[in-house]
Amino acid sequence: MAPEKKPHLQPLSSWSVIPLELAGLVLRLLPAYADRARFAAVCPQWRAAVRQLQNPPVPPPPAVAAARQLLPPSLPLLVLPDGTFYSIPCDKLFHFPGCGFAGYDSTCGSWLVFSRDDGCFLVDPFSREKVTLPALSSVRLRPPNAVAKWSYEHGSSDAYPYYTWMHMEEYEKLHIQKLILCSANLVAALVGVGHCQILICQPGSLSWSVRARDELKMFEDMAFYQGRLYVVTEGEDLLVVNISQDHSTGDPHVSKIGRVIKDKDYPSYYEHLVFRDNFSPHKKLYLVESCGMLLMVRRTVWVQHRELYDDRCIARQSEFEVFEADFEHSRWVKVSSVGGDQVLFLGRSCSRAVHVSRYRLPGDRIFFLDDYAEENAGQYRYDESNTSCSAYDMRLGEVSSPYPMIFWTRCREMRAVAWLFPQD
């Protein structure tokens, strides 16, 4: 039997000369974006190799395409509003060299969202790309002649017959709860605190579009799934947002909002969650795409009262339930697992499902943040001054702190702590 032939490897003339395939193999073993950044910082040649793998030309050359198959996206970064980052699973602060990103309002995939009086803009700290958006004060009403209606009783005025965008615009500071860059020509935003409205625009345009006469709703989350925009309400109804274009200007606008799923079991949710030893439930909902499915994650925050119905209550343990949208039968179907290879990273501004087995990390978990924001005002507070990211194990039903060295102080300015996803 002839001896097995071994591949002949040409000696490298220099460590700086690294084949793309080898670079892909090395980077595959580095799940943290910070480690990949350090790899690229070794020398210009290694930096060029990383750039080719992460941002190849279209279509990429065969060598780049083959090596790129070895390189999955890195794990997300945890971003703090003071402009610092943690690169999971590293527990040391990470800084993008030469740039400051403090004061952002939200995140959107790999983008940081900034809202200013003179306009909004998105910044990608990985590529340094920037997208300009209109200011929230620059809104095109549909219909354009809509006016706010009021009822006057006993010397005071109230919104009539219900609260609309025009009432909110006059009385509240406009706040982006969530923004999605749906495509190169479409941006959608949930604006408001609690009661929200959906705004639509094109990048670079001068104004947003809004359905002026629609009643503001308690929208919990929004997702762009299989080419369509969806929102979920506090009552766990799933709505689809139909987008049309203005025939004269070409600008997008919301033409219709239809109900896809009406949750018949929502009232019974609170009927069965009675007080348990002075504990009451508070609910948060998230939408996230995973393995081609649209999932709704229901997070129940159990709040402890000093006395029954006492307003001075403290947030304690969180529990999670996951439901898949069954579009054919218009219902939510509860699932017991998010997948042995999947981790859901949940945040109020941005959520994603990530494959983790290739990084030798345990799956079927949900990483979440406290979502310490205006939505909690008057409902509950936290007992400890510091907070961090936590993980919920779907198999065990238990919450743990996977990275105890990563923490930050709770305060109003830190409400926008969020996940940032490289190569989004």
Side-chain angles (χ1 to χ4, degrees), residues 225-412:
Y225 170 72
Q226 295 187 355
R228 308 193 74 176
L229 187 65
Y230 293 91
V231 290
V232 64
T233 69
E234 182 188 39
E236 302 186 2
D237 290 349
L238 183 66
L239 310 179
V240 61
V241 182
N242 294 310
I243 311 295
S244 298
Q245 280 190 317
D246 189 291
H247 295 298
S248 58
T249 65
D251 292 329
H253 63 89
V254 176
S255 58
K256 182 180 178 181
I257 300 178
R259 187 162 55 195
V260 179
I261 295 177
K262 178 174 177 55
D263 188 20
K264 301 176 182 178
D265 296 328
Y266 169 67
S268 64
Y269 169 77
Y270 280 110
E271 290 173 6
H272 291 92
L273 291 178
V274 296
F275 276 80
R276 301 190 317 206
D277 298 326
N278 285 359
F279 279 82
S280 67
H282 289 260
K283 182 178 69 172
K284 299 175 183 289
L285 300 176
Y286 307 83
L287 289 178
V288 58
E289 181 178 358
S290 175
C291 298
M293 301 178 296
L294 182 63
L295 303 180
M296 179 185 73
V297 181
R298 178 197 289 161
R299 175 184 173 190
T300 300
V301 181
W302 284 99
V303 173
Q304 184 179 27
H305 301 252
R306 296 181 181 180
E307 297 178 2
L308 194 63
Y309 302 112
D310 187 355
D311 290 335
R312 296 169 296 176
C313 46
I314 305 297
R316 298 300 186 189
Q317 195 75 313
S318 287
E319 297 175 354
F320 291 84
E321 297 171 282
V322 182
F323 302 83
E324 176 189 348
D326 181 350
F327 290 95
E328 181 179 358
H329 300 95
S330 300
R331 62 181 182 177
W332 294 111
V333 179
K334 188 173 181 178
V335 297
S336 60
S337 170
V338 299
D341 182 35
Q342 294 278 307
V343 165
L344 303 186
F345 288 88
L346 295 187
R348 189 45 91 200
S349 61
C350 189
S351 302
R352 288 287 189 277
V354 177
H355 295 281
V356 295
S357 63
R358 55 197 169 199
Y359 300 129
R360 299 181 181 178
L361 296 177
D364 211 9
R365 294 193 298 172
I366 298 174
F367 279 65
F368 64 98
L369 308 171
D370 274 340
D371 289 343
Y372 186 68
E374 290 92 338
E375 63 186 84
N376 297 337
Q379 297 182 10
Y380 56 83
R381 61 184 179 85
Y382 291 91
D383 200 21
E384 299 177 354
S385 59
N386 290 335
T387 183
S388 63
C389 64
S390 303
Y392 179 82
D393 191 310
M394 289 289 293
R395 297 188 184 96
L396 302 178
E398 297 176 351
V399 174
S400 62
S401 298
Y403 307 114
M405 299 303 294
I406 299 177
F407 63 90
W408 56 94
T409 301
R410 287 190 177 97
C411 62
R412 184 178 181 85

Side-chain angles (χ1 to χ4, degrees), residues 7-269:
H8 180 65
L9 298 178
Q10 295 290 339
L12 294 177
S13 58
S14 168
W15 277 109
S16 64
V17 182
I18 183 169
L20 284 176
E21 184 178 1
L22 180 57
L25 288 171
V26 174
L27 292 170
R28 181 184 176 89
L29 301 176
L30 302 176
Y33 177 84
D35 289 335
R36 296 186 180 187
R38 295 184 184 101
F39 177 94
V42 169
C43 65
Q45 291 83 356
W46 287 27
R47 184 159 54 252
V50 172
R51 191 179 298 116
Q52 288 186 71
L53 292 173
Q54 292 184 341
N55 302 292
V58 180
V64 175
R68 189 169 158 77
Q69 293 179 357
L70 302 171
L71 183 59
S74 63
L75 292 174
L77 280 73
L78 188 62
V79 53
L80 310 183
D82 60 2
T84 56
F85 303 80
Y86 286 101
S87 181
I88 303 296
C90 300
D91 58 9
K92 303 228 185 307
L93 283 173
F94 173 78
H95 298 268
F96 286 91
C99 290
F101 299 103
Y104 70 90
D105 295 277
S106 182
T107 65
C108 170
S110 63
W111 303 89
L112 296 171
V113 181
F114 295 83
S115 178
R116 302 292 182 263
D117 292 338
D118 58 347
C120 302
F121 58 94
L122 311 179
V123 176
D124 187 328
F126 308 100
S127 66
R128 310 300 168 91
E129 187 179 355
K130 183 177 177 180
V131 174
T132 59
L133 302 174
L136 292 179
S137 58
S138 179
V139 174
R140 186 175 65 258
L141 302 179
R142 297 187 65 90
N145 60 349
V147 295
K149 295 183 179 181
W150 302 90
S151 65
Y152 299 91
E153 293 183 10
H154 309 294
S156 61
S157 59
D158 292 310
Y160 176 83
Y162 44 70
Y163 209 52
T164 67
W165 165 262
M166 294 170 291
H167 299 102
M168 179 172 68
E169 188 179 29
E170 183 173 345
Y171 278 98
E172 294 185 11
K173 177 176 173 56
L174 301 180
H175 169 74
I176 296 178
Q177 177 174 309
K178 183 157 188 173
L179 185 142
I180 299 179
L181 187 61
C182 304
S183 69
N185 299 311
L186 180 63
V187 177
L190 276 184
V191 178
V193 177
H195 290 83
C196 298
Q197 187 55 281
I198 303 168
L199 275 62
I200 300 292
C201 78
Q202 289 191 79
S205 62
L206 299 178
S207 62
W208 297 86
S209 173
V210 66
R211 285 166 60 99
R213 292 173 178 166
D214 283 1
E215 181 180 4
L216 299 186
K217 301 288 188 181
M218 293 290 287
F219 292 136
E220 287 272 332
D221 202 1
M222 178 171 65
F224 192 66
Y225 170 72
Q226 295 187 355
R228 308 193 74 176
L229 187 65
Y230 293 91
V231 290
V232 64
T233 69
E234 182 188 39
E236 302 186 2
D237 290 349
L238 183 66
L239 310 179
V240 61
V241 182
N242 294 310
I243 311 295
S244 298
Q245 280 190 317
D246 189 291
H247 295 298
S248 58
T249 65
D251 292 329
H253 63 89
V254 176
S255 58
K256 182 180 178 181
I257 300 178
R259 187 162 55 195
V260 179
I261 295 177
K262 178 174 177 55
D263 188 20
K264 301 176 182 178
D265 296 328
Y266 169 67
S268 64
Y269 169 77

